Amino acid sequence: MTPKRFALTPGEPAGIGPDLCLLLAAQPQPHPLIAITSRDLLVERAAQLGLAVSLLEVDADALPDHPAPAGSLYVWDTPLGAPVRTGQLDTANAAFVLQTLIRAAQGCLDGLFAGMITAPVHKGVINDGGIAFSGHTEFLADLTATEQVVMMLATGDLRVALVTTHLPLREVADAVTAERLERVTRILHADLQRKFGLARPRILVCGLNPHAGESGHLGREEIDIIEPTLERLRAEGMDLRGPLPADTLFTPKYLQHCDAVLAMYHDQGLPVLKYKGFGAAVNVTLGLPIIRTSVDHGTALDLAGTGKIDTGSLRVALDTAYRMAETF
């Protein structure tokens, strides 16, 4: 396997992102992994955690072609806006967080990196810092001039993609339009092929309403929108099954014969996935011209600097990005 470079962004500097990077350095990686963050931040956090990690400084003009030895970490130094107090948010570092994402994403676009892996950011402090920010996904879509992206989480052999994401429940039904459903399904299908190497992806599609509408008695979205859209896409050769009742779709009878589930809204699909694999799941942004994976948890400010964290989700995010890069 030929080594490829990957970018790692630690996210909110007061949270557990820097800790994750340092803990990760204990084990060798199969590819050169470059942490885009403040070197001073990592030095201070390593001392706080009692970790001996060798920080190997690199930059855009001198990126390594071989993995770092165990116990060391490549760092592309990115200046902080203000000193970091572990566990305490500071709006002065909002621009710093976004700068790390810009460096990573632009590096992917320029061919410096095969993909980027992100630790959690804190949306609130970025917005409080005067920068409109709704999340990694939307920020990277804007940065890469991508019109439509799709959120997909995965753990083990279960993948769940979403037609709608962070919407109030009362707005979901209006957002599930034929146009949106078609775009999302096309992106999911295409990226399962391009980035996961699945020649003919098998996709299960949830209904929107209980019992998938019960033949129209519990809602007509399945009859009027979902089924006609799926029929058009099936005519093109896509392997789509549904709409199926979400309360029975997530059972072995169905899941053993699929490559991904398409849920209509956030809390229809993700509770099942997180119950199955919280702490060992990965968030993948589909539709981007680059590979981006992320952990499935938040900044955990109260755990930063304590050493009482689990690197499981970050390891899954790394492994997923590595595998995706083999086919993309």
Side-chain angles (χ1 to χ4, degrees):
M1 179 172 57
T2 303
K4 300 178 180 180
R5 294 189 211 97
F6 291 82
L8 172 62
T9 58
E12 169 52 48
I16 62 171
D19 308 47
L20 290 170
C21 295
L22 293 164
L23 291 168
L24 188 74
Q27 300 295 325
Q29 295 295 315
H31 298 279
L33 182 65
I34 291 86
I36 302 179
T37 188
S38 162
R39 188 181 188 279
D40 290 342
L41 169 63
L42 293 182
V43 169
E44 292 174 5
R45 193 66 58 86
Q48 191 172 357
L49 293 169
L51 296 175
V53 178
S54 176
L55 301 178
L56 310 176
E57 197 161 337
V58 301
D59 59 37
D61 297 321
L63 291 172
D65 292 320
H66 56 277
S72 60
L73 180 68
Y74 291 124
V75 181
W76 183 351
D77 188 33
T78 305
L80 289 162
V84 172
R85 292 171 291 175
T86 304
Q88 299 183 45
L89 298 172
D90 189 340
T91 57
N93 281 317
F96 157 79
V97 172
L98 298 189
Q99 180 60 25
T100 66
L101 296 177
I102 291 169
R103 282 185 169 181
Q106 191 61 52
C108 290
L109 292 172
D110 294 341
L112 299 178
F113 305 121
M116 61 184 288
I117 300 94
T118 61
V121 297
H122 193 288
K123 300 182 186 69
V125 74
I126 295 174
N127 283 280
D128 290 344
I131 304 172
F133 181 82
S134 55
H136 274 116
T137 303
E138 295 81 3
F139 183 79
L140 293 174
D142 289 343
L143 194 62
T144 59
T146 304
E147 183 176 348
Q148 176 79 50
V149 292
V150 174
M151 178 188 293
M152 183 178 80
L153 270 74
T155 183
D157 56 358
L158 177 62
R159 303 182 183 98
V160 178
L162 304 176
V163 175
T164 64
T165 52
H166 301 127
L167 286 179
L169 195 56
R170 67 173 60 251
E171 297 178 15
V172 168
D174 289 339
V176 179
T177 62
E179 293 76 17
R180 181 195 286 259
L181 178 58
E182 180 173 337
R183 286 199 308 269
V184 169
T185 306
R186 288 188 183 281
I187 291 169
L188 173 60
H189 186 270
D191 268 11
L192 287 173
Q193 291 180 318
R194 294 188 308 158
K195 295 179 179 177
F196 289 86
L198 299 170
R200 193 164 188 264
R202 300 165 299 175
I203 301 171
L204 299 182
V205 182
C206 295
L208 173 66
N209 297 296
H211 300 178
E214 196 78 72
S215 300
H217 296 289
L218 296 177
R220 291 194 54 84
E221 285 81 5
E222 289 77 12
I223 295 172
D224 296 339
I225 297 171
I226 301 175
E227 178 59 34
T229 302
L230 299 184
E231 275 299 309
R232 288 198 302 274
L233 297 175
R234 288 189 194 106
E236 298 179 11
M238 292 190 195
D239 189 348
L240 306 171
R241 186 171 181 184
L244 295 168
D247 64 340
T248 54
L249 180 155
F250 289 99
T251 57
K253 172 185 175 181
Y254 293 106
L255 294 181
Q256 65 185 345
H257 300 298
C258 86
D259 295 304
V261 173
L262 182 58
M264 291 297 123
Y265 57 95
H266 188 281
D267 282 12
Q268 182 182 60
L270 297 194
V272 179
L273 184 135
K274 292 193 176 186
Y275 175 76
K276 177 180 173 67
F278 189 72
V282 57
N283 187 335
V284 183
T285 305
L286 304 179
L288 294 173
I290 64 175
I291 290 171
R292 180 259 170 163
T293 65
S294 184
V295 296
D296 70 342
H297 55 73
T299 55
L301 295 167
D302 58 322
L303 296 179
T306 67
K308 299 176 181 178
I309 60 172
D310 187 344
T311 60
S313 182
L314 179 59
R315 293 181 187 279
V316 175
L318 286 166
D319 291 343
T320 302
Y322 296 160
R323 290 197 305 272
M324 291 169 69
E326 293 175 9
T327 60
F328 183 61

